[in-house]
């Protein structure tokens, strides 16, 4: 009886566990499958990490062999920003799936130096700025084909998509169209990507609609619906676009014309106007177009030796002076800075380079601005004998005192770096030192590097373009002898297309120049 009860107990126990066991059998099977997936995921993760390591090993070997040369290409600069802001974070997430203290510790240490989302966005906008200024289509950038440059730098489908998305999120539908179209072109060519064709078409069709091209927006949306019939927005957008087009055709009494079969490219849509009235003139000069150097004007340009009115420091070695422009008079001085002096100035400036600021015309407060994209630092003569020597040389060459001048400003314009048209002199004296030292009488601009492409100093008012030449300096007066501003001197630093542009400048003020540059008899002498 006790056995029977025992057997019954066992049976009941087994019976009660039978269902559980059945479940556990299937659970075990799922665990085995899960284990296989885990192993596969771990192998995939390891393979992905190995792939990353190999790719980055090759990449860093190339980039560290010549950092400035590598970053001279705008695509490399953009992709570096994108890698460090986006892709390294994705790798971090991948590694975090399994404890990896060493990697996380290194990430934590170095993350403070990583570019952030704003930096990546800024790099993307720099490419778009170059695209506009130098009239380069997205395909040229994607394939790394820049004027006079042979490079293996290229943009993938996902890179182009991210560029388009950056523009789209800023309601910049003009550039969104160009980059989404390039992303689609590469997808259609069979390039593999993380982003889907449906996602690209979604952004592209709506951006094209925003550019006012309804027929093409309809065609792209139909293509999207064909790929993904269940897309949550595509069907509604298509019906809306079709109704809108039908209404327009009725109002204008026109017949429906199918969308152009020509692919969207640079020039398909007009670029929207912006705040800068001389935008077209300025950008044409940056490309070397529209320079108003006539034969008559060229005949008035000369070169000469200058000894600074028998300045003792220039008697034995007078400075070489070339006329760059006749009116207003702009001159270039040759061999002003040696290579060693340039390197020393850069060495002193690099630790303190910060985003260059401009003075807000409404508030008088210094702030950063999209029209001035560079890093700058200010150096005092007492800091190093080289700075004192350069200041003295500027005084000797110009014949003006630098006692009331501003500190030597060093600026570095990287990829897309620019300073849009502006005046060096102040039209409203917000600066306290203007009341003491007067306005900016003259500008002495040292070129401390050659630039592979772009980076000219241009004067839209009279059509001059001055190209950087390492070791040379250009000089012009911002004010007439009367003290009135010479509005012809409005100038710009063109975006750097390829390379890195280093300059240093000295703004020479009015005070102390009374007998060195006396007043004229008229307002415009």
């Amino acid at each position: 009886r006790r056995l029977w009860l025992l057997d019954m107990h066992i049976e009941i126990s087994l019976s009660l566990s039978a269902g559980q066991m059945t479940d556990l059998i299937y659970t075990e099977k799922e665990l085995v499958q899960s284990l296989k997936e885990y192993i596969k995921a771990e192998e995939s993760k390891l393979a992905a990490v190995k792939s990353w390591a190999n790719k980055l090993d090759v990449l860093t070997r190339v980039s560290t062999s010549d950092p400035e040369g590598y970053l001279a290409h705008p695509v490399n600069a953009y992709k570096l920003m994108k890698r460090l802001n986006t892709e390294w974070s994705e790798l971090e997430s991948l590694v975090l799936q399994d404890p990896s203290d060493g990697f996380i510790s290194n990430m934590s240490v170095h993350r403070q130096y990583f570019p952030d989302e704003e930096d990546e966005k800024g790099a993307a906008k720099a490419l778009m700025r170059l695209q506009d200024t130098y009239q380069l289509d997205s395909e040229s950038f994607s394939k790394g084909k820049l004027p006079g440059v042979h490079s293996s730098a290229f943009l993938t489908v996902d890179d182009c998509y991210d560029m388009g998305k950056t523009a789209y999120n800023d309601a910049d539908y003009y550039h969104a169209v160009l980059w989404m179209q390039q992303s689609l072109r590469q997808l259609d060519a069979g390039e593999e990507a993380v982003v889907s064709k449906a996602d690209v078409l979604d952004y592209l069709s709506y951006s094209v609609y925003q550019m006012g091209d309804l027929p093409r927006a309809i065609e792209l949306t139909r293509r999207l619906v064909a790929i993904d019939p269940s897309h949550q927005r595509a069907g509604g957008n298509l019906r809306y676009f079709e109704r809108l087009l039908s209404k327009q055709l009725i109002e204008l009494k026109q017949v429906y014309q199918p969308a152009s079969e020509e692919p969207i490219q640079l020039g398909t849509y007009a670029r929207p106007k912006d705040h800068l009235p001389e935008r077209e003139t300025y950008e044409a000069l940056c490309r070397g177009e529209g320079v108003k150097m006539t034969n008559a004007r060229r005949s008035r340009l000369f070169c000469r030796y200058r000894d600074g009115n028998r300045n003792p420091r220039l008697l034995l070695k007078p400075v070489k002076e070339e006329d760059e422009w006749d009116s207003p008079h702009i001159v270039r001085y040759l061999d002003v800075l040696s290579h060693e002096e340039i390197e020393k100035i850069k060495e002193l400036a690099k630790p303190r380079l910060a985003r260059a600021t401009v003075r807000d015309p409404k508030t008088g407060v210094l702030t950063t601005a999209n029209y001035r994209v560079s890093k700058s630092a200010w150096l005092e003569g007492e800091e190093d004998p080289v700075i004192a020597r350069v200041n003295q040389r500027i005084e000797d060459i110009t014949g003006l005192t630098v006692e009331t001048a501003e500190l030597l400003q060093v600026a570095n314009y990287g990829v897309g770096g620019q300073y849009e048209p502006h005046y060096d002199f102040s039209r409203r004296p917000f600066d306290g030192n203007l009341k003491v030292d007067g306005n900016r009488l003259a500008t002495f601009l040292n070129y401390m590097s050659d630039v592979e492409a772009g980076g000219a100093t241009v004067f839209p008012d009279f059509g001059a373009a001055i190209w950087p030449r390492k070791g040379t300096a250009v000089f012009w007066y911002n004010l007439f002898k009367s003290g009135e501003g010479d509005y012809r001197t409005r100038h710009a630093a063109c975006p750097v297309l390829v390379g890195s542009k280093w300059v240093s400048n000295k703004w020479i003020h009015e005070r102390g120049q009374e007998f060195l540059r006396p007043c004229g008899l008229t307002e415009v002498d």
Side-chain angles (χ1 to χ4, degrees):
R1 185 175 177 87
R2 286 176 60 189
L3 285 173
W4 181 82
L5 286 173
L6 181 60
D7 289 341
M8 281 295 293
H9 176 73
I10 293 172
E11 187 180 350
I12 292 170
S13 296
L14 289 173
S15 175
L16 288 173
S17 63
Q20 294 175 346
M21 285 300 193
T22 303
D23 290 342
L24 288 175
I25 286 172
Y26 287 105
T27 299
E28 187 178 37
K29 184 180 180 181
E30 290 175 13
L31 286 172
V32 170
Q33 183 61 35
S34 179
L35 180 63
K36 288 180 178 178
E37 290 172 1
Y38 167 73
I39 293 169
K40 187 177 179 182
E42 279 289 284
E43 290 173 343
S44 176
K45 183 181 101 173
L46 190 58
V49 173
K50 281 182 178 178
S51 173
W52 260 98
N54 292 335
K55 181 178 76 172
L56 290 168
D57 184 41
V58 172
L59 202 68
T60 51
R61 261 185 276 147
V62 172
S63 62
T64 53
S65 66
D66 179 13
E68 285 204 0
Y70 178 82
L71 291 173
H73 199 293
V75 167
N76 285 336
Y78 165 70
K79 293 195 75 169
L80 175 64
M81 293 289 185
K82 184 180 177 219
R83 269 199 312 278
L84 288 174
N85 179 49
T86 305
E87 296 173 5
W88 272 98
S89 295
E90 292 171 0
L91 180 57
E92 180 185 10
S93 299
L94 179 63
V95 173
L96 270 173
Q97 292 170 11
D98 197 48
S100 183
D101 295 337
F103 173 75
I104 300 305
S105 175
N106 280 333
M107 284 291 291
S108 300
V109 169
H110 295 294
R111 180 172 287 284
Q112 59 184 313
Y113 305 111
F114 280 11
D116 58 18
E117 189 175 346
E118 279 304 305
D119 291 318
E120 182 181 340
K121 184 177 175 182
K125 287 186 173 182
L127 285 189
M128 295 175 205
R129 190 156 55 240
L130 293 173
Q131 182 178 27
D132 293 340
T133 304
Y134 298 105
Q135 294 187 345
L136 301 168
D137 58 38
S138 302
E139 189 169 14
S140 295
F141 265 117
S142 178
K143 294 182 178 178
K145 293 180 179 177
L146 300 180
V149 177
H150 300 285
S151 172
S152 59
F154 64 92
L155 292 170
T156 64
V157 168
D158 296 302
D159 292 331
C160 295
Y161 173 78
D162 288 338
M163 288 282 293
K165 204 169 175 183
T166 296
Y168 182 92
N169 290 338
D170 266 2
D172 177 4
Y173 300 110
Y174 172 78
H175 288 107
V177 166
L178 292 176
W179 286 101
M180 288 298 175
Q181 174 64 38
Q182 181 58 30
S183 184
L184 182 64
R185 183 182 289 118
Q186 290 176 216
L187 276 173
D188 286 343
E191 185 179 321
E192 291 185 4
V194 174
V195 66
S196 70
K197 195 173 286 190
D199 285 338
V200 174
L201 284 166
D202 188 17
Y203 280 102
L204 179 58
S205 59
Y206 189 77
S207 298
V208 165
Y209 155 67
Q210 287 289 347
M211 292 304 294
D213 189 348
L214 276 171
R216 199 186 292 263
I218 289 169
E219 177 199 311
L220 290 166
T221 310
R222 283 175 179 163
R223 188 175 170 188
L224 171 57
V225 170
I227 291 173
D228 184 3
S230 62
H231 194 282
Q232 60 179 357
R233 285 182 304 276
N237 282 354
L238 181 58
R239 289 188 292 274
Y240 174 72
F241 295 160
E242 288 173 340
R243 282 199 305 271
L244 206 58
L245 180 61
S246 178
K247 184 180 176 183
Q248 283 184 8
L249 292 173
I250 291 169
E251 288 175 354
L252 297 172
K253 297 180 180 178
Q254 293 179 346
V255 179
Y256 172 74
Q257 296 290 333
S260 169
E261 294 183 7
E262 289 293 316
I264 298 169
Q265 54 194 356
L266 204 66
T268 298
Y269 302 120
R271 184 169 143 212
K273 299 290 182 184
D274 67 3
H275 65 280
L276 202 60
E278 67 263 69
R279 170 73 64 190
E280 290 183 10
T281 304
Y282 151 59
E283 292 183 349
L285 287 169
C286 289
R287 297 190 297 272
E289 302 168 7
V291 177
K292 298 175 182 175
M293 178 57 73
T294 61
N295 289 331
R297 172 167 279 129
R298 189 175 284 106
S299 70
R300 295 193 290 271
L301 304 182
F302 300 93
C303 57
R304 61 193 73 81
Y305 285 104
R306 287 285 192 196
D307 63 9
N309 293 322
R310 300 192 62 75
N311 185 300
R313 280 176 291 270
L314 296 179
L315 275 175
L316 293 178
K317 189 182 179 183
V319 68
K320 303 166 189 171
E321 181 185 273
E322 294 179 347
D323 291 330
E324 284 282 353
W325 208 260
D326 57 345
S327 181
H329 194 208
I330 303 174
V331 295
R332 187 194 294 264
Y333 297 109
L334 277 59
D335 304 321
V336 172
L337 294 178
S338 68
H339 173 74
E340 290 72 25
E341 287 172 328
I342 287 171
E343 291 306 305
K344 186 62 180 178
I345 293 170
K346 287 163 67 173
E347 178 191 324
L348 292 168
K350 279 178 181 178
R352 62 187 84 173
L353 284 174
R355 175 74 184 271
T357 56
V358 295
R359 194 163 295 282
D360 188 308
K362 294 180 181 177
T363 65
V365 176
L366 287 173
T367 182
T368 59
N370 288 332
Y371 59 83
R372 187 180 192 186
V373 184
S374 65
K375 299 277 188 178
S376 69
W378 299 83
L379 303 179
E380 296 190 43
E382 294 78 12
E383 291 186 51
D384 192 276
V386 167
I387 306 303
R389 193 160 67 237
V390 168
N391 287 341
Q392 182 63 59
R393 192 174 300 150
I394 292 171
E395 186 170 284
D396 293 342
I397 291 172
T398 62
L400 301 171
T401 181
V402 296
E403 287 298 315
T404 55
E406 295 174 45
L407 301 180
L408 187 72
Q409 181 184 215
V410 181
N412 177 223
Y413 296 82
V415 51
Q418 64 164 3
Y419 193 175
E420 288 183 349
H422 62 282
Y423 302 102
D424 277 354
F425 63 88
S426 179
R427 290 168 291 160
R428 296 180 67 188
F430 286 112
D431 284 328
N433 68 336
L434 288 181
K435 297 173 183 175
V436 177
D437 298 327
N439 213 334
R440 287 172 174 170
L441 172 70
T443 297
F444 194 97
L445 177 63
N446 295 302
Y447 291 118
M448 302 200 303
S449 65
D450 293 313
V451 180
E452 290 180 58
T457 304
V458 299
F459 295 77
D461 187 79
F462 50 90
I466 299 172
W467 302 94
R469 280 156 56 192
K470 184 178 177 179
T472 70
V474 292
F475 173 79
W476 68 86
Y477 283 102
N478 299 304
L479 307 178
F480 291 110
K481 289 183 178 181
S482 64
E484 291 297 317
D486 187 346
Y487 283 83
R488 297 173 300 172
T489 61
R490 183 170 166 87
H491 61 285
C494 295
V496 174
L497 179 57
V498 180
S500 178
K501 177 183 173 184
W502 283 89
V503 298
S504 59
N505 66 279
K506 196 79 171 170
W507 279 309
I508 301 171
H509 283 250
E510 292 177 283
R511 298 295 173 262
Q513 321 296 349
E514 291 84 353
F515 298 105
L516 301 173
R517 194 195 188 221
C519 283
L521 297 176
T522 70
E523 195 174 274
V524 293
D525 278 355

